[in-house]
Amino acid sequence: MSFFDNFELNRLENLELLAKQVVEGFIIGLHKSPFHGFSVEFAEHRIYNQGESTRNIDWKVFARTEKLFTKKYEEETNLRAQIVIDTSSSMYFPEERKGNELNKLQFSALAAASLMNLLKKQRDAFGLSLFDDKVNIHTKAKSSTKHYRILLSHLDKLIKEPAHDKKTSVVDTLHQIADSIHKRSLVIIFSDMFDKNDNNEELFSALQHLKYNKHEVVLFHVMDKKLEESFEFENRPHEFIDMESGERVKLQSNQVREFYQEKVKSFKEALRLRCLQYRIDMIETDIREGFHSVLETYLVKRKKMRI
């Protein structure tokens, strides 16, 4: 059974509800004992003692475990996070989906919504930046419920209004975003890193700019590994269309598969090595595998930033 079979992802109307489901499922699954080892970071959970006030009982945990736990949240804001999403046309791949399959943009939007849900629970502040060939949305980091719902509305609009022929300028936009974040933050990027500029050195320079400003950076390199990395298309004639330029090419997949795989491997290896050099966490993220790695990476990074 696929991870996504647990969610009605083909009905993305209620992004907030889906984000809550993702986060709750992730937290419950961390340990056999609910929230064990995660309590310091999320909330103080302990077994409910008879006679205590029922105000802080976590009823959602009870519904899953039939055990009573009480919770007490930390009151202070511990961290500032800026979530950055590439919204160019290549992120809407694959356009033809089946059942609960998501495209890269839908995956990134739901992953971002889940992260914001978790950040809000922990009293952390979070902002959102959306870009294609320019920065279209850039909000300051806040921790309020009102702010959370405003950002969800931006993500919801992305999902419901797909756009074509939107090129990417990762280089220019990351430089602009780096200049716009004035306080030390955890910068979380969702992108396939396909850029209209083929100059890798300029791309790496833009990533390095974020580190110069003393931000911690996590890059979720979002791909459909089956199609975009392994090139597992049926061995028959296909017409491939560049989603950003509209350029078309007709070919049989097996004729170029090996060459294509080598090119993708070379690009990813160069990106991985530069991220390692700049101490940027690069996480290869397959849109077919769920959100566990996204949320787990955030928790690990958050813990390190508080040490």
Side-chain angles (χ1 to χ4, degrees):
M1 183 177 71
S2 165
F3 170 88
F4 297 108
D5 291 339
N6 295 320
F7 307 96
E8 293 188 50
L9 295 175
N10 55 340
R11 300 185 61 189
L12 282 166
E13 288 87 354
N14 196 331
L15 193 59
E16 182 175 8
L17 177 60
L18 283 172
K20 286 181 179 178
Q21 287 181 312
V22 170
V23 171
E24 288 167 11
F26 168 72
I27 293 172
I28 294 297
L30 278 178
H31 299 280
K32 292 181 180 179
S33 176
F35 301 93
H36 177 68
F38 185 48
S39 59
V40 174
E41 298 300 327
F42 174 69
E44 181 184 347
H45 277 78
R46 59 183 175 80
I47 295 176
Y48 170 76
N49 294 315
Q50 191 172 1
E52 291 181 340
S53 170
T54 59
R55 184 167 60 92
N56 290 325
I57 289 179
D58 193 325
W59 295 108
K60 292 177 181 177
V61 172
F62 174 76
R64 290 170 170 78
T65 66
E66 297 186 355
K67 296 180 181 180
L68 292 175
F69 288 82
T70 60
K71 59 183 180 179
K72 182 178 180 182
Y73 291 104
E74 299 177 18
E75 296 299 328
E76 62 183 272
T77 294
N78 298 300
L79 175 142
R80 303 173 66 86
Q82 193 71 25
I83 299 174
V84 180
I85 303 179
D86 177 354
T87 66
S88 60
S89 294
S90 67
M91 291 291 286
Y92 288 91
F93 181 85
E95 286 190 295
E96 297 180 5
R97 294 167 290 112
K98 299 176 182 179
N100 276 346
E101 292 179 355
L102 301 177
N103 62 37
K104 291 185 290 185
L105 193 282
Q106 290 171 331
F107 178 93
S108 300
L110 183 49
S114 302
L115 279 173
M116 292 191 298
N117 182 281
L118 194 52
L119 284 153
K120 183 169 69 73
K121 286 179 183 293
Q122 296 174 289
R123 302 298 190 265
D124 291 332
F126 47 91
L128 179 67
S129 302
L130 307 178
F131 74 90
D132 40 61
D133 61 346
K134 61 183 181 300
V135 178
N136 296 303
I137 298 288
H138 180 79
T139 74
K140 293 183 179 180
K142 300 179 183 178
S143 57
S144 69
T145 299
K146 180 180 179 181
H147 178 67
Y148 170 60
R149 290 195 170 131
I150 289 172
L151 300 195
L152 284 180
S153 70
H154 291 309
L155 296 176
D156 187 62
K157 186 176 181 181
L158 282 178
I159 291 171
K160 293 179 178 177
E161 299 178 11
H164 294 273
D165 303 323
K166 289 198 303 182
K167 294 181 171 57
T168 319
S169 181
V170 178
V171 172
D172 295 339
T173 51
L174 288 187
H175 279 303
Q176 186 178 339
I177 290 168
D179 287 332
S180 302
I181 306 173
H182 302 299
K183 294 184 179 179
R184 182 173 182 263
S185 301
L186 170 59
V187 181
I188 301 170
I189 304 169
F190 292 92
S191 175
D192 53 21
M193 300 303 285
F194 296 146
D195 191 274
K196 66 180 182 181
N197 189 334
D198 292 330
N199 190 326
N200 284 344
E201 290 305 316
E202 290 186 5
L203 175 60
F204 301 145
S205 175
L207 288 170
Q208 192 177 25
H209 187 180
L210 289 168
K211 293 297 292 185
Y212 278 144
N213 287 357
K214 301 191 184 302
H215 303 305
E216 291 294 324
V217 182
V218 177
L219 169 62
F220 290 107
H221 188 219
V222 183
M223 298 280 283
D224 182 331
K225 289 191 176 182
K226 179 181 178 181
L227 299 180
E228 292 186 294
E229 187 171 332
S230 299
F231 208 65
E232 293 182 19
F233 291 92
E234 292 182 19
N235 185 24
R236 59 176 178 80
H238 293 271
E239 182 177 44
F240 294 94
I241 304 172
D242 187 316
M243 298 179 72
E244 298 192 7
S245 69
E247 184 178 350
R248 298 168 180 259
V249 59
K250 294 181 180 180
L251 50 83
Q252 197 148 320
S253 57
N254 68 330
Q255 295 176 331
V256 297
R257 182 176 290 114
E258 187 174 339
F259 174 78
Y260 175 89
Q261 289 173 342
E262 285 298 318
K263 287 291 186 180
V264 171
K265 181 180 178 181
S266 176
F267 170 74
K268 288 181 63 177
E269 183 64 13
L271 182 61
R272 186 188 68 81
L273 289 174
R274 285 306 179 100
C275 285
L276 186 64
Q277 178 184 347
Y278 301 149
R279 297 185 179 179
I280 291 171
D281 294 337
M282 175 182 161
I283 311 298
E284 293 188 20
T285 308
D286 187 352
I287 63 174
R288 298 173 185 264
E289 292 186 355
F291 305 98
H292 183 93
S293 65
V294 174
L295 298 178
E296 189 175 66
T297 298
Y298 154 70
L299 289 180
V300 170
K301 177 61 74 172
R302 183 182 190 271
K303 185 174 182 179
K304 288 180 179 178
M305 290 182 70
R306 293 185 63 198
I307 294 175

